[in-house]
Amino acid sequence: MAGDRAASIDPDALSWYEATARQRVTALVDPGSFREFLGPTERRMSPHLPLFDLPRAFDDGIVIGRADIAGTPVLLAAQEGRFMGGAFGEVHGGKLVGLLRAALDLKPRAVLILFDTGGVRLQEANAGETAIAEAMRAIVDVRAAGIPVVGLIGGRAGCYGGGGLIAGTCSRLAVSEGGRISVSGPEVIETNKGAEEFDSRDRALVWRTMGGKHRRLTGGADAFCADTVAAFRQAAVALIDRAPAFDLAGLEAEQARLAARIARFGDCRDATEVWARLGVNDPATVPGMDTAAFEAIVARVGEADHDAR
Amino acid sequence: MTEWRGERQARDARIAAGRIHAAGKIVPATAAVDLLEAILRPGDRVCLEGDNQKQADCLARALSACDPEKIHDLHMVQSGIVLPEHLDVFETGIARRLDYSYSGPQGARIARMLYGGQIELGAVHTYLELFARYFVDLTPNVALIAGVSADRDGNLYTGPNTEDTPTVVEATAFKNGVVVAQVNEIVETVPRVDIPGDRIDFVVKADRPFYVEPLFTRDPAAMTETQILIAMMAIKGIYAEYGIRRLNHGIGFGTAAIELLLPTYGEKLGLKGKIATHWALNPHPTLIPAIESGWVKQVHCFGSEVGMDRYIRERPDIFFTGADGSLRSNRAFCQTAGLYACDMFIGATLQIDLMGHSSTITQSRVAGFGGAPNMGSDPHGRRHPTDAWMKAGREGQIVGDPALMRGRKLVVQLVETFGDKLVPTFVETLDALELARKIGLELAPVMIYADDVTHIVTEEGIANLLLCRDADEREQAIRGVAGYTEVGRGRDRAKVEALRARGVIRRPEDLGIEPLDADRALLAAKSIKDLVHWSGGLYEPPARFRNW
């Protein structure tokens, strides 16, 4: 049965959704090229969690380091959604911010962020919120230095809260069907606005509102991948090469695009209405489509591809 | 002069009273309360159909809206206490006495009401046992049932969820009772006749389709590696060992994991065609990969499962279907099949004590039994041999003339040593005993009695209780697989090792299983979406199970 375990790091077979952060990193980059910074042996753990009698992780739930992808040097960070929902704490956030700042000196071809997070860790909220702000600031600096920052989203925890904000500052995003991108999570919306507004137990509703297909169709993400590490690798390589410039014209175009979007879709009550207005003939069938059929739809929808970001 | 037709005359009077509210047999939902008030009499025995799956919910709402001045002191004899209305009628006095079987979602409230004396309890039954009593001493005066559609003559189509309906109707209609069916629609011609119209007295056109709970859907995405390890042990140490072909699975994640390991791990062990071919089972979505890869020959179902209808229609070689193409389920027959024609029941439980008694009762909940105690028992009326049954019989009985030996049904408990929220599964004393004392039950609600259990499988190993020769061995065998629970840590190490040497206890390594191989990569489907793909798009999961 040893062969099965070997198969579990085969990029073609390994499900991104199922994989751990370390499995994703190992299978994503060129074999043997990953060098970790502040790895688990250094035990940089959360100073706050013991106060709450909570277990800590030796890497505080994030793996950072350098590697080659298709022969090109990159820096990358991967959040571990299985540890505290991939949430940002002081050390976790510090590692991401440090990696981004190091990019200014190391000048990699790109920085990859493998998001898998519910947002900020409640037990160390101030440090987490600060880290979100610092990470966004650092991404701006990195992008201004001409280094693309590419987010990969397809983990179990999705990309929520501050993670959703950071994703918004990236040059490009790749997402899978299981991936979700948003700020407030389904339960938070339901708690504040009621189940009539958003029923968090209706998982089909959650995914068609926040899931990968919706984000891709509306241009919130720039690539849609099958749920394998190989597909994410292919998307990452392609997106690095297609990263937009980071300048005032780009930001103004993005602002205009978002304003147009709210004007066009602001009164829609369901994602299927948005898709219908985008020109999708039979919106109800979108969630059931396989990757190839969905790509064909995306190719026909003008909204999905733009450099305004 | 003896009156031999009193019941018949009373029935005729009820029907005449009900006809005032009907056009022929058809009654609009708005007149359902009037109809029930016309046909019911105080003190009636009433069967309000509903089990762990479909519910005659429109009629349940109507019954709870009846005037307690007119309708009171009913004796409810029904499979399931599932909807709030099922208990509301006891609060208002419409009903007083209760004989039932299953009360999953209402378990906490029913416990409070029993304790508060609002319900006069007859007994908590298994399904089959309650059905049996419908024909002996709990025959309903009025049955309120649910179907998909009916024609104007009352011919009833129950659709894939036939479940208890034929049994309830049989007992009521042929013993001078009145049968009222709620249906989703009135049609010119029903797709097939599940219940002939002359057994149905009134048809209520329901305000909305009857509710069905998707109780048998387990999301592969939530399966853990511990559950996979336990499933591997069960397949190798029990299914393969005894050559189990005819079986019933419980509804837990452990047995769902077994279903998903058949086409992968089972295939690798060369077991295809040798195990798990004939089933008494609801149409579990997690069985789809095994069906599609040719493992499964035949499945008879208690009820249907939400979202499986199209798939079943396209697989008539596997399932029992009607001339119209849709599933024909039947709870009474399937329970009988599980009892007499299956060689193994395997399922989970919440608590197991030192003797092996098990219960799903916690201190504040009375969940009832449903079908598990019936599936999970050794039928002493069985007379046909199979290799699995005979092998278990030989293991359990080492003395006497072999020709006088009887076989044994395998009854396997598949549990993690710690359950939800790290509550230990193994306990010194079942909570059921304390509950029975508190609410004054004569019998403690034990799901499966110790003498019926043959094996317990946990992540620590398999305990074969058939091979235990006395109570002490049995206790140590149970402690020996109870992991780090208090019960497990209380083991006598030397005795446990001796049991292991005899093969009474077997660890993963004794079975040639490497725990690190218990990987989610082994699951034939890792998500509900994968199940949809396996089904060729025929399985249509309900929204709450979708993440797309």
Side-chain angles (χ1 to χ4, degrees), chain B residues 166-383:
Chain B
T167 315
V168 172
V169 172
E170 181 89 10
T172 310
F174 292 101
K175 193 61 175 61
N176 303 310
V178 178
V179 179
V180 181
Q182 74 166 70
V183 295
N184 303 344
E185 54 178 347
I186 310 285
V187 295
E188 276 306 307
T189 314
V190 287
R192 75 174 184 228
V193 179
D194 286 299
I195 307 288
D198 62 359
R199 298 175 199 173
I200 305 286
D201 301 303
F202 296 98
V203 176
V204 173
K205 162 88 179 64
D207 42 1
R208 53 176 185 253
F210 65 78
Y211 178 74
V212 185
E213 172 74 16
L215 192 66
F216 298 89
T217 301
R218 292 288 167 265
D219 187 346
M223 254 162 225
T224 66
E225 281 156 2
T226 306
Q227 287 156 354
I228 292 166
L229 174 64
I230 295 173
M232 290 164 74
M233 285 195 277
I235 289 173
K236 206 165 177 189
I238 297 178
Y239 290 62
E241 192 101 354
Y242 292 86
I244 305 291
R245 289 168 196 256
R246 313 180 311 165
L247 72 166
N248 168 255
H249 271 187
I251 64 170
F253 275 97
T255 39
I258 291 173
E259 290 155 21
L260 292 175
L261 289 186
L262 291 175
T264 55
Y265 184 67
E267 187 84 36
K268 222 165 276 173
L269 295 177
L271 295 172
K272 188 170 169 180
K274 296 179 184 152
I275 62 166
T277 52
H278 294 73
W279 300 70
L281 192 79
N282 276 313
H284 290 187
T286 39
L287 196 62
I288 292 172
I291 294 172
E292 294 302 301
S293 13
W295 277 71
V296 176
K297 296 275 172 279
Q298 184 162 316
V299 183
H300 187 254
C301 302
F302 309 91
S304 189
E305 181 65 359
V306 183
M308 287 290 281
D309 296 342
R310 270 179 66 215
Y311 178 74
I312 293 166
R313 273 181 179 277
E314 299 302 321
R315 298 291 180 275
D317 285 356
I318 304 294
F319 294 98
F320 288 72
T321 53
D324 66 311
S326 73
L327 179 74
R328 166 72 176 198
S329 60
N330 186 310
R331 189 171 312 283
F333 286 147
C334 198
Q335 289 278 331
T336 309
L339 181 59
Y340 283 101
C342 286
D343 293 319
M344 180 176 76
F345 164 79
I346 178 165
T349 190
L350 288 183
Q351 286 191 333
I352 299 178
D353 74 7
L354 294 177
M355 288 182 282
H357 295 298
S358 67
S359 162
T360 56
I361 303 278
T362 56
Q363 287 203 5
S364 56
R365 291 180 59 85
V366 183
F369 294 124
N374 174 45
M375 301 286 137
S377 65
D378 184 32
H380 284 192
R382 177 172 165 177
R383 292 293 181 273

Side-chain angles (χ1 to χ4, degrees), chain A residues 288-306:
Chain A
M289 278 176 192
D290 62 20
T291 306
F294 179 70
E295 287 290 6
I297 297 274
V298 169
R300 289 206 302 274
V301 172
E303 193 73 13
D305 287 303
H306 54 81

Side-chain angles (χ1 to χ4, degrees), chain A residues 1-2 4-5 8 13 15 17-18 23 82 156 177-178 201-205 207-208 213 284 286-290, chain B residues 219-222 225 232 265 268 514 516-517 519-523 526-529 533 542-548:
Chain A
M1 301 297 292
D4 285 320
R5 260 172 293 157
S8 69
S15 156
Y17 193 78
E18 294 266 324
Q23 284 176 314
R82 299 186 196 191
R156 236 172 237 266
E177 179 168 65
R201 290 189 54 209
D202 183 345
R203 307 213 313 159
L205 169 71
W207 258 267
R208 71 177 180 269
K213 280 181 170 163
V286 167
M289 278 176 192
D290 62 20
Chain B
D219 187 346
E225 281 156 2
M232 290 164 74
Y265 184 67
K268 222 165 276 173
E514 164 58 64
L516 289 177
D517 286 333
D519 190 301
R520 284 182 45 83
L522 277 183
L523 296 174
K526 296 178 194 67
S527 63
I528 294 280
K529 182 100 184 196
H533 287 151
R544 75 160 107 148
F545 289 106
R546 285 169 46 182
N547 61 346
W548 65 88

Side-chain angles (χ1 to χ4, degrees), chain A residues 272-298:
Chain A
T272 49
E273 292 174 37
V274 175
W275 304 339
R277 281 189 204 178
L278 282 169
V280 178
N281 284 332
D282 193 357
T285 61
V286 167
M289 278 176 192
D290 62 20
T291 306
F294 179 70
E295 287 290 6
I297 297 274
V298 169

Side-chain angles (χ1 to χ4, degrees), chain B residues 11-33:
Chain B
R11 175 192 131 86
D12 291 345
R14 290 163 187 254
I15 288 175
R19 285 281 177 262
I20 296 165
H21 306 286
K25 290 185 174 181
I26 310 298
V27 179
T30 46
V33 175

